[in-house]
Amino acid sequence: MAEKLLQAPILDPQEIIKLIPQKPPFVMVDKLHDYTKLTGITGFLVPADNILVDNGIFSEPGLIEHMAQSMSLHRGYQGYISGLEKPQTGFIGAIKSVEIFRLPKAGEELTTHVEILHEVMKVTLVTAKTLDKNEQVIATSEMKTVTVD
């Protein structure tokens, strides 16, 4: 079993913003529930005024960005415990697969599990699985992210 490196969940969105390069209004994560070297669990309460909510529904690009930012938050916390002063910038290098089973509504709480499958230099292959409050899978993805600084 992997060593848990998060003392307590980080539930304050202002603390989360310090760990990711994204800034409002383009923030799609607001909690870090769990962290190990290769895995993480994030959360996001979808606000009605989110830039990627349309007619009360969190869009496909919003859900994909949430999964990517979940990886970014994992990377940001890794940097924080390693002593970095600011989060590293990165981007989605390639999306191998995405399955969206349903789009969440504004006001829904999402929980996303990320797992690093492989990392070479600054390219990371990661999977993400997003669940709703009933622990039903609403989306999965496998993507490559690239860290640039």
Side-chain angles (χ1 to χ4, degrees):
M1 182 170 222
E3 178 184 7
K4 293 186 183 240
L5 301 171
L6 182 66
Q7 300 294 327
I10 302 172
L11 305 176
D12 180 352
Q14 296 307 313
E15 292 301 311
I16 295 299
I17 288 173
K18 295 176 187 176
L19 298 171
I20 60 174
Q22 296 83 5
K23 300 299 173 224
F26 208 72
V27 173
M28 309 294 156
V29 290
D30 59 11
K31 296 169 198 70
L32 181 60
H33 295 290
D34 196 18
Y35 172 89
T36 72
K37 186 175 179 182
L38 297 176
T39 65
I41 302 174
T42 69
F44 185 51
L45 178 61
V46 180
D49 64 350
N50 182 282
I51 194 167
L52 295 176
V53 167
D54 187 31
N55 292 319
I57 304 294
F58 196 40
S59 66
E60 291 93 342
L63 202 47
I64 292 166
E65 182 63 24
H66 163 70
M67 290 186 280
Q69 286 190 25
S70 292
M71 178 56 195
S72 180
L73 179 53
H74 181 275
R75 177 73 71 223
Y77 188 75
Q78 180 183 53
Y80 169 76
I81 62 176
S82 298
L84 293 180
E85 292 185 20
K86 66 176 190 140
Q88 294 179 302
T89 302
F91 59 90
I92 298 171
I95 298 175
K96 182 176 179 181
S97 65
V98 173
E99 288 187 277
I100 296 175
F101 304 104
R102 110 176 150 74
L103 294 174
K105 296 177 183 173
E108 276 195 65
E109 181 74 39
L110 306 179
T111 302
T112 296
H113 298 251
V114 294
E115 180 179 4
I116 295 173
L117 301 177
H118 190 69
E119 191 165 16
V120 176
M121 299 176 67
K122 294 186 176 203
V123 178
T124 305
L125 179 61
V126 61
T127 62
K129 176 173 64 173
T130 300
L131 312 172
D132 64 16
K133 68 179 180 181
N134 297 318
E135 297 189 10
Q136 296 297 309
V137 176
I138 63 170
T140 62
S141 68
E142 185 173 319
M143 61 182 78
K144 290 180 182 175
T145 60
V146 181
T147 304
V148 294
D149 68 6

